[in-house]
Amino acid sequence: MSKETFYVTTPIYYVNDVPHIGHVYTTVAADVIARYMRVSGREVMFLTGTDEHGQKVEQAARERGKTPQEHCDEMVVRFKDLWRRFNISNDDFIRTTEDRHVKVVQHFLQKLFDSGDIYKSSYSGWYCVPDERFWTEKDLVDGNCPDCGRGVVQIEESNYFFRMSKYQDWLIGHIEGNPDFIRPESRRNEMLGFLRKPLEDLCISRPKNRLHWGVEIPFDSDYVTYVWFDALINYVTSPGYTTDDDRFSSFWTNCTHLIGKDILTTHTIYWPTMLRGEGLAPPARVFAHGWWTVEGRKMSKSVGNVVEPNMLLDKYGADAIRYFLLREVPFGLVGDFSHAALVGRINSDLANDLGNLLQRSLGMLEKYRDAVIPPVPSDAQMGDLSRELVEASRRAVAELEEHMSALAFDRALKSVWEFIGRANKYIDSAAPWTLSKEGKDTKLDSVMYTLFEAIRQVAVMINPFMPETGQKMFRQLGIAQKKDLHTITSLKSWGGFQGGTRTFRGPALFPRIEEVPEVETGKEQDKKSEARSQKPGDKGMENVVTIEDFARVELVTGKVLEAEAVPKSKKLIRMIVDTGEKRQIVAGIAEYYQPADLVGKAIAVVGNLAPAKLMGVESNGMLLAAHDDDGLALVTFDKEVGVGVRIK
Ligand code: ME8
């Protein structure tokens, strides 16, 4: 293979349950990076699949009155259908019950057994049935599983063990010597901390009298393989370990595993030591992203707030969800899903910024140039405004490349949106309508060309994130078939769009959604809070609140990360504030503060205020300030505090 390779994987998901928004998150992220690498000229392999063995699956099948295989065959369809609906472009889908995988697991085990890295021993310890994990006495928290908090049972039996402890020093050296191996940094430190305690050997078998549903141990038919030992091996089965050496070695060296933080230990402790025992290199990078909650709460069946992705797809479409998930929070930090936040993003970023840019530009090209792209302007024909836009495009492409290689999806999108903002401003400043009215034809040609080359660049940059939208844009720009104009390489030099191309105006990319809670006016809010604070019999004490009342208000510390004036408003400033999670807050303080002065400030925020829209911009929270005749002062702190700290 001559091209540089890139191999990306998602966890293989358990088929004991249906997929939810958490599974969608990792899979969409993997899809975006796979698509991006393809258009950057890499030979890509993208793997996802399902984890079908083990106790949980056996139990789920039993509860449904099915055999485990029947259960798996039915559940896997839900994952495959969902990935199709989300336009997931995986090159392979692996199921651990497939023969190709079972063979590799058995090969792996036999090799480790032959080299003496697997041995048999009797074991007594605490076992968490739902997690299928053994724990030592000192691991337990209040006598329960330290991972899930559920009860554990004492088990004594003979089992096979992998000599994981033997590789501890090597693993520490590997993590220390390869800063990119575990990402983000916080997770790397967490694992180095974990490795300060001695590693124990790993129990890798389950006796068949307790569990049947697994890969039989090749050297002892009374046992099946521990589900995690079986599952992790999927990552080498697919690219051809033991079956296609060339393919395997070319992809394995460039492998990135995307996972949630819940399965960090298995991927960065078990897996690299297993590979080391087998004589294989560890994956190049394991990136553990953060956890999604829903409307501020942990997603759980008992709470009834599990976000069902098919319902979201019906309502918002794949691209809006893909965009929201990756734009809303930095990959690696916690995220909170809420319909209001999703609708806010659709309306402001997708319908307003991106949709309007394309729609108004196509409209002008139709009106002024019969929908035909003018020729590429010469250097002399380009004015300062156009040159600035070209420069902004160079910056956006460079930033996109930098952020994508670090899997900083939110920053990559932010850079693209800054460029979209520039292109929108370019239209306002270059004012094609005036050029047309004044008959400045050469200038108008030059402006329209520059604008459309910028839009083509936007389409290329967003295409990996929103493939349906990318394709729609390419169609409307008249370059659907010109694949060479869809690549990141085509953005390296300005002027790829050919003059004479005919464009086609289509329907709006993202119609606005008008269902976000509207703001109440200040007076209405005041009336309501007065009514809430008055209790019958409390004469003369109308404004007294109980400690419980006060505790309902979540006051937290925050740090302003970004601030900008809300267009067309004299009073409002839109801020992105870190309160442990990133949120957008709109405040009426523009008469007293410059946006630039706010960035970096530590502030006090009402964290659980209902979302509201101010001049069409969504605000999630309110900052505290004192207002008197002399002006306005933000509430801040007299020494440094972290973000997201509760103020009481
Ligand atoms: O652990 N937020 O499978 P699984 C973000 N079979 N991501 C989430 C999430 C949430 N709330 N919930 C789930 C397994 N995920 C094993 C993996 S790999 C060799 C074997 C995502 O079905 C996240 O990627 O429990 C997490 O790591 C994964 O789903 C767990 O999926």
Side-chain angles (χ1 to χ4, degrees):
M1 256 172 245
S2 53
K3 284 191 199 170
E4 202 182 336
T5 57
F6 182 76
Y7 176 27
V8 64
T9 68
T10 71
I12 47 171
Y13 304 111
Y14 285 128
V15 285
N16 53 327
D17 212 344
V18 290
H20 58 65
I21 197 76
H23 302 122
V24 172
Y25 184 49
T26 324
T27 312
V28 162
D31 185 59
V32 168
I33 193 69
R35 286 175 181 273
Y36 172 82
M37 288 297 179
R38 285 191 200 109
V39 290
S40 301
R42 297 271 199 110
E43 181 76 29
V44 170
M45 170 161 175
F46 167 20
L47 175 69
T48 187
T50 41
D51 192 354
E52 304 192 350
H53 287 129
Q55 205 145 325
K56 280 191 218 176
V57 175
E58 196 177 69
Q59 210 166 311
R62 203 175 310 121
E63 280 161 18
R64 296 182 63 227
K66 308 268 177 186
T67 66
Q69 191 63 60
E70 279 168 356
H71 169 81
C72 293
D73 291 347
E74 283 174 21
M75 296 302 277
V76 75
V77 178
R78 308 210 191 187
F79 284 90
K80 286 187 169 173
D81 283 351
L82 188 65
W83 300 154
R84 204 170 306 121
R85 292 194 72 191
F86 269 107
N87 296 306
I88 302 300
S89 64
N90 52 303
D91 300 290
D92 190 7
F93 187 102
I94 192 162
R95 301 179 56 184
T96 51
T97 48
E98 285 173 85
D99 202 35
R100 61 168 170 159
H101 178 64
V102 171
K103 280 193 180 125
V104 178
V105 173
Q106 291 185 328
H107 170 97
F108 213 101
L109 285 163
Q110 189 69 53
K111 197 165 164 191
L112 291 178
F113 186 65
D114 293 344
S115 68
D117 268 359
I118 286 180
Y119 64 92
K120 193 172 186 182
S121 168
S122 92
Y123 177 89
S124 114
W126 295 100
Y127 187 67
C128 173
V129 179
D131 280 355
E132 299 175 46
R133 278 177 80 165
F134 282 103
W135 300 104
T136 60
E137 183 81 40
K138 66 176 176 348
D139 290 329
L140 302 182
V141 176
D142 298 332
N144 292 321
C145 169
D147 238 20
C148 69
R150 285 173 282 202
V152 287
V153 286
Q154 175 93 54
I155 279 188
E156 189 166 354
E157 63 193 19
S158 282
N159 262 315
Y160 287 93
F161 289 81
F162 166 56
R163 288 189 203 282
M164 192 157 74
S165 56
K166 176 174 155 189
Y167 297 108
Q168 176 158 12
D169 290 343
W170 164 80
L171 182 58
I172 293 172
H174 182 77
I175 298 174
E176 281 175 343
N178 294 276
D180 267 351
F181 173 50
I182 305 176
R183 296 273 84 200
E185 190 67 16
S186 54
R187 300 289 167 211
R188 178 170 180 260
N189 294 336
E190 192 181 320
M191 286 300 100
L192 282 171
F194 180 88
L195 284 166
R196 271 190 225 115
K197 280 193 288 182
L199 264 191
E200 289 180 14
D201 288 346
L202 182 67
C203 177
I204 53 111
S205 66
R206 299 290 181 264
K208 277 194 187 162
N209 58 18
R210 194 150 63 75
L211 173 74
H212 241 91
W213 190 235
V215 177
E216 189 174 282
I217 298 273
F219 39 84
D220 191 337
S221 59
D222 287 339
Y223 291 85
V224 293
T225 313
Y226 167 44
V227 65
W228 265 106
F229 199 90
D230 155 6
L232 287 160
I233 293 173
N234 91 86
Y235 299 133
V236 294
T237 303
S238 172
Y241 179 53
T242 74
T243 55
D244 186 342
D245 290 348
D246 285 350
R247 185 174 160 74
F248 175 67
S249 55
S250 77
F251 281 114
W252 185 245
T253 42
N254 284 319
C255 178
T256 293
H257 294 318
L258 300 191
I259 57 167
K261 68 175 175 80
D262 55 327
I263 54 178
L264 185 65
T265 317
T266 50
H267 280 77
T268 58
I269 309 280
Y270 297 6
W271 184 221
T273 54
M274 285 164 64
L275 287 161
R276 180 76 177 169
E278 191 74 5
L280 298 173
R285 177 168 59 166
V286 179
F287 196 112
H289 62 66
W291 213 238
W292 279 82
T293 53
V294 174
E295 315 270 0
R297 301 180 74 178
K298 195 172 170 223
M299 223 185 319
S300 105
K301 268 195 196 163
S302 51
V303 178
N305 65 346
V306 176
V307 179
E308 208 286 295
N310 282 293
M311 179 274 291
L312 283 185
L313 278 166
D314 294 341
K315 205 161 176 184
Y316 304 111
D319 277 3
I321 304 165
R322 289 172 63 113
Y323 174 78
F324 171 77
L325 289 175
L326 294 187
R327 175 65 184 88
E328 191 66 5
V329 287
F331 204 55
L333 297 189
V334 290
D336 185 48
F337 180 88
S338 80
H339 289 270
L342 172 56
V343 170
R345 287 276 177 206
I346 293 175
N347 286 347
S348 74
D349 302 5
L350 301 180
N352 263 7
D353 301 345
L354 175 65
N356 281 349
L357 173 66
L358 181 69
Q359 206 61 12
R360 68 204 275 229
S361 304
L362 287 169
M364 285 188 288
L365 195 69
E366 250 173 45
K367 191 162 167 195
Y368 304 132
R369 290 295 178 260
D370 291 329
V372 175
I373 304 283
V376 188
S378 68
D379 228 24
Q381 285 165 338
M382 287 177 65
D384 283 349
L385 283 176
S386 302
R387 269 188 275 275
E388 275 168 27
L389 193 64
V390 176
E391 190 43 45
S393 116
R394 274 200 203 106
R395 246 194 336 270
V397 176
E399 285 174 11
L400 176 79
E401 290 187 307
E402 184 194 330
H403 297 320
M404 289 304 271
S405 67
L407 301 177
F409 300 109
D410 66 313
R411 289 199 210 164
L413 285 170
K414 196 164 159 269
S415 297
V416 179
W417 253 256
E418 265 164 27
F419 182 54
I420 292 173
R422 290 241 167 200
N424 272 320
K425 282 203 188 101
Y426 173 76
I427 300 179
D428 299 340
S429 317
W433 44 90
T434 310
L435 299 174
S436 165
K437 212 187 297 163
E438 292 172 357
K440 294 184 173 160
D441 272 346
T442 317
K443 187 88 194 283
L444 182 58
D445 273 351
S446 162
V447 166
M448 292 315 283
Y449 181 88
T450 307
L451 177 60
F452 274 86
E453 172 66 352
I455 296 175
R456 176 187 79 86
Q457 302 223 345
V458 167
V460 172
M461 291 193 267
I462 63 152
N463 192 30
F465 293 88
M466 296 186 282
E468 283 172 20
T469 308
Q471 292 312 308
K472 276 186 203 160
M473 288 181 75
F474 289 143
R475 264 199 307 278
Q476 298 196 22
L477 294 174
I479 54 170
Q481 302 309 321
K482 302 225 157 149
K483 300 284 182 222
D484 55 324
L485 294 185
H486 302 180
T487 65
I488 299 291
T489 333
S490 79
L491 306 183
K492 295 293 168 63
S493 50
W494 181 263
F497 216 148
Q498 267 170 18
T501 308
R502 175 169 290 280
T503 61
F504 306 90
R505 188 139 63 112
L509 294 175
F510 293 93
R512 282 183 67 80
I513 300 178
E514 303 293 350
E515 61 170 46
V516 206
E518 282 300 323
V519 241
E520 292 168 326
T521 65
K523 273 191 190 141
E524 280 163 349
Q525 281 186 345
D526 287 347
K527 266 194 218 147
K528 281 194 182 169
S529 63
E530 249 177 58
R532 271 197 295 269
S533 64
Q534 279 183 16
K535 289 203 207 98
D538 263 350
K539 265 197 188 140
M541 293 183 68
E542 286 87 355
N543 254 341
V544 170
V545 293
T546 64
I547 189 81
E548 288 80 10
D549 286 335
F550 178 69
R552 290 187 60 223
V553 181
E554 273 173 26
L555 290 177
V556 288
T557 59
K559 187 167 182 190
V560 182
L561 302 178
E562 296 165 35
E564 62 170 18
V566 170
K568 299 198 192 100
S569 166
K570 282 197 197 119
K571 292 190 175 162
L572 297 181
I573 291 185
R574 183 185 78 88
M575 282 163 284
I576 300 295
V577 179
D578 186 359
T579 54
E581 56 182 317
K582 275 170 63 175
R583 58 170 77 216
Q584 175 167 291
I585 296 180
V586 180
I589 54 174
E591 288 157 289
Y592 312 100
Y593 287 91
Q594 290 295 320
D597 295 337
L598 293 167
V599 175
K601 264 205 191 318
I603 55 169
V605 173
V606 181
N608 60 342
L609 199 66
K613 261 167 87 186
L614 303 165
M615 297 269 297
V617 185
E618 191 179 319
S619 182
N620 284 295
M622 182 174 93
L623 50 76
L624 298 188
H627 198 176
D628 65 10
D629 291 340
D630 291 327
L632 182 137
L634 288 179
V635 172
T636 163
F637 305 94
D638 69 356
K639 76 180 190 49
E640 205 159 292
V641 277
V643 293
V645 179
R646 188 85 191 251
I647 305 168
K648 288 188 250 183

